Amino acid sequence: MQIQVDGTLMNVGVLFSELDIKERTKKIAEQINKDYGNKETLVVLIVLHGAILFGADLVRNLEMPTEIETIRIKSYEGTSSSGTVKLVTPLPTSLENKHVLVIEDIVDTGRSINFLLNELKQTKALSIKVCSLLDKPEAHEFSIQADYIGFTIQKNFVIGYGLDLNGKFRNLPYIANLTKA
Ligand code: IMP
Ligand code: MG
């Protein structure tokens, strides 16, 4: 597939297929089930919009009593990080004394997750961990290490399976690299 980005024709190359994602999601869920056990409630906090597909697929593989919360933060314009992060929706009010697992689409500079983790400190959650579908270690500007990572990738901009380019392409069932045609 080819798409136009700001007047430039780009190739969309599949990096992780639907099956790759499905298998990896199952593996991560197995690890989460092992780590948390199946008794205590886990609050899965899905960061919108990027982690919506990954979060929805991951929770289906969890075995503990699970609550789903969402939060929306904004940090990105086009294909580069904007430098400022904002909460677009308020923090969920129900995290006190609960184990919270934040689900992110990608840790790029780490600015967004660093910001969100700071905000979450005031919720009095019992524990807070991070599960990110993707990690771009070469792009980190903050010392952030997600507890669970789907795939580690290079600095390239990717789209699909929740990840967008100016709001579009989140619906692709695979994760794709964009390269100049
Ligand atoms: P960070 O704050 O720099 O870590 O960026 C985090 C946010 O930027 C992610 O939650 C994504 O929404 C967006 N982002 C970073 N890299 C990509 C990418 O390659 N494709 C699409 N969105 C990205
Ligand atoms: Mg985004």
Side-chain angles (χ1 to χ4, degrees):
M1 183 168 86
Q2 292 186 321
I3 57 169
Q4 287 276 350
V5 179
D6 300 332
T8 309
L9 195 62
M10 306 289 279
N11 284 324
V12 177
V14 176
L15 188 59
F16 302 110
S17 70
E18 219 175 329
L19 186 62
D20 292 337
I21 298 168
K22 196 174 176 187
E23 287 178 351
R24 186 69 191 123
T25 303
K26 254 194 151 163
K27 279 263 178 292
I28 297 172
E30 274 170 23
Q31 189 61 50
I32 295 170
N33 287 331
K34 224 183 193 175
D35 292 351
Y36 287 90
N38 57 10
K39 290 195 179 60
E40 273 199 84
T41 300
L42 179 66
V43 182
V44 168
L45 180 60
I46 298 176
V47 183
L48 300 176
H49 301 325
I52 196 163
L53 276 71
F54 177 49
D57 285 340
L58 185 76
V59 291
R60 275 176 259 211
N61 292 284
L62 297 181
E63 291 166 356
M64 66 289 286
T66 298
E67 292 177 13
I68 300 176
E69 291 285 352
T70 60
I71 193 153
R72 187 164 175 219
I73 59 178
K74 200 170 163 42
S75 71
Y76 228 72
E77 307 276 338
T79 57
S80 66
S81 199
S82 77
T84 51
V85 192
K86 285 180 230 150
L87 278 186
V88 181
T89 57
L91 290 170
T93 51
S94 55
L95 304 183
E96 193 170 340
N97 284 322
K98 303 234 178 88
H99 294 289
V100 176
L101 182 61
V102 180
I103 313 291
E104 258 287 20
D105 56 354
I106 188 164
V107 180
D108 184 21
T109 63
R111 185 174 286 112
S112 308
I113 195 64
N114 183 61
F115 165 83
L116 183 58
L117 288 174
N118 263 323
E119 294 288 316
L120 284 169
K121 277 182 192 157
Q122 53 186 283
T123 63
K124 299 186 182 139
L126 209 54
S127 72
I128 301 173
K129 283 191 184 184
V130 176
C131 174
S132 184
L133 170 66
L134 299 170
D135 186 30
K136 279 187 196 172
E138 288 163 12
H140 286 193
E141 290 172 23
F142 294 79
S143 61
I144 286 293
Q145 184 56 53
D147 301 278
Y148 306 96
I149 292 166
F151 304 100
T152 299
I153 62 169
Q154 294 184 328
K155 248 177 149 178
N156 297 346
F157 194 78
V158 294
I159 56 170
Y161 195 64
L163 290 117
D164 72 304
L165 173 59
N166 293 332
K168 298 190 183 68
F169 309 112
R170 294 191 199 276
N171 60 306
L172 299 178
Y174 48 82
I175 298 166
N177 258 324
L178 286 181
T179 48
K180 260 194 172 171

